[in-house]
Amino acid sequence: MSFDHLPYRPCAGFMLVNAEGLVFVGQRIDPSAHGFWQMPQGGIDKGEDVRDAALRELAEEIGVGPDKVEVIAQTAQPICYDLPPELQGRVWKGKYRGQEQHWFLGRFLGEDADIDLAAHNPPEFNEWRWIEPEQLPALIIPFKRAVYEAVLAEFRGLI
């Protein structure tokens, strides 16, 4: 069965970098993605501005409010990915074929103690760390790897 007729789910993501140029990643609690790490991201509510959605997701998922972030850039275009066949029709109540993601780059102005994985109920991540940007594609679930490579390519010179 083909899901190509379905729309993409609107999504916003945030590449948070610290003063040393390292990128925040959290390890997913979701059993289907266990062992994989990702940057904060999530759906855009109807009528919500994409930048506001990215900042909201950052606050919800890791407890970092807009006062602790300097937004540096946004991807020139949204980046889309399709779910793998085994997830199509199951994720997001079967309403979407994948996601159309708007990514933002921001400098973390806070301290590590400001990061709170319990800010989201239930939590999305069970642990977090700062990594070298080049490590990102190897840590993400494979079907999102091309997205992370594109985000990294666009933001690399600004990190």
Side-chain angles (χ1 to χ4, degrees):
M1 181 174 190
S2 173
F3 293 90
D4 292 349
H5 64 284
L6 294 175
Y8 286 104
R9 177 179 181 246
C11 177
F14 209 97
M15 177 186 273
L16 185 67
V17 297
N18 66 13
E20 289 79 39
L22 301 175
V23 178
F24 173 94
V25 290
Q27 186 177 46
R28 298 273 312 186
I29 289 177
D30 177 2
S32 66
H34 183 70
F36 293 106
W37 298 73
Q38 72 177 43
M39 297 181 285
Q41 64 172 67
I44 300 171
D45 295 334
K46 187 174 177 125
E48 186 177 27
D49 176 78
V50 294
R51 178 186 166 120
D52 292 343
L55 290 168
R56 177 183 50 76
E57 287 295 329
L58 199 59
E60 287 179 1
E61 293 187 0
I62 66 170
V64 173
D67 60 320
K68 302 280 185 195
V69 178
E70 173 192 1
V71 177
I72 298 169
Q74 177 181 356
T75 49
Q77 299 292 323
I79 303 167
C80 296
Y81 73 85
D82 288 345
L83 290 167
E86 65 272 14
L87 294 179
Q88 290 183 352
R90 293 180 41 217
V91 178
W92 307 305
K93 300 177 184 175
K95 296 191 314 189
Y96 303 102
R97 67 189 278 183
Q99 291 196 93
E100 177 182 84
Q101 298 186 319
H102 301 261
W103 282 93
F104 291 82
L105 171 66
R107 181 92 43 218
F108 182 49
L109 304 175
E111 299 185 17
D112 287 359
D114 295 323
I115 295 173
D116 178 14
L117 300 185
H120 192 274
N121 189 15
E124 299 223 2
F125 304 120
N126 58 9
E127 63 181 284
W128 69 273
R129 63 186 183 199
W130 296 108
I131 63 165
E132 293 290 338
E134 288 70 30
Q135 293 177 286
L136 280 169
L139 295 175
I140 188 68
I141 198 161
F143 66 86
K144 293 182 183 178
R145 191 162 291 145
V147 171
Y148 273 41
E149 289 169 345
V151 170
L152 183 58
E154 190 162 345
F155 290 158
R156 182 176 281 119
L158 301 172
I159 295 173

